């Protein structure tokens, strides 16, 4: 299959997951962004397959290469609501610090468990 066609199919797959996620949010009223639900759908599909199809990997490379541009709307949104952010700045900072510490601690604990199990398994 030509590379252009494979990349096109991968991009169509990514966009379809996004659109299905957006449609599911509108259908169910779940308070999540459609893009997040689409990304979770894509993750589920990739986990079920056990590997990433080459077409999705190739199509995602330009998106990953320009990831910083994709955060511009979020930064503009924060600046648009700056008075509200400024009013709740202490709570936001505390929440960010607490969730960062919890997630890093949990990640370290899981990594330690996985690595110790792999180490014990290789010594047998």
């Amino acid at each position: 299959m030509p590379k252009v066609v494979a990349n096109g199919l991968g991009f169509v797959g990514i966009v379809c997951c996004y659109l299905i996620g957006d449609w599911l949010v509108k259908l169910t009223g779940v308070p999540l962004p459609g893009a997040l639900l689409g990304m979770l759908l894509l993750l589920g599909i990739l986990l079920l397959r056990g590997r990433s199809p080459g077409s999705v990997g190739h199509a995602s490379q330009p998106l990953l290469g320009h990831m910083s541009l994709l955060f511009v709307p979020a930064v503009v949104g924060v600046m648009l609501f700056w008075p509200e952010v400024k009013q709740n700045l202490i709570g936001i900072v505390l929440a960010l610090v607490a969730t960062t510490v919890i997630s890093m601690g949990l990640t370290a604990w899981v990594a330690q468990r996985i690595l110790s199990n792999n180490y014990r398994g290789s010594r047998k």
Side-chain angles (χ1 to χ4, degrees):
M1 180 179 325
K3 188 175 181 180
V4 173
V5 174
N7 287 346
L9 287 174
F11 190 72
V12 167
I14 292 170
V15 171
C16 282
C17 286
Y18 165 75
L19 292 174
I20 291 170
D22 204 37
W23 175 75
L24 284 172
V25 165
K26 288 180 179 156
L27 182 72
T28 62
V30 176
L32 291 173
L36 177 63
L37 209 56
M39 188 170 50
L40 291 173
L41 176 67
L42 180 61
L43 175 66
I45 291 169
L46 294 176
L47 287 174
L48 286 175
R49 284 185 55 105
R51 62 180 177 82
S52 173
S55 59
V56 172
H58 290 296
S60 66
Q61 287 306 313
L63 295 173
L64 294 173
H66 300 291
M67 184 73 91
S68 59
L69 287 175
L70 300 175
F71 286 106
V72 170
V75 172
V76 170
V78 167
M79 297 312 294
L80 182 67
F81 294 105
W82 181 248
E84 289 84 0
V85 170
K86 188 175 171 184
Q87 186 178 16
N88 299 305
L89 192 59
I90 293 173
I92 292 170
V93 169
L94 288 175
L96 286 172
V97 169
T99 56
T100 300
V101 168
I102 291 169
S103 65
M104 288 178 70
L106 186 61
T107 302
W109 179 76
V110 169
Q112 189 177 26
R113 300 279 302 218
I114 289 172
L115 292 175
S116 68
N117 285 342
N118 285 342
Y119 180 70
R120 273 189 244 138
S122 66
R123 288 183 16 177
K124 290 182 181 180

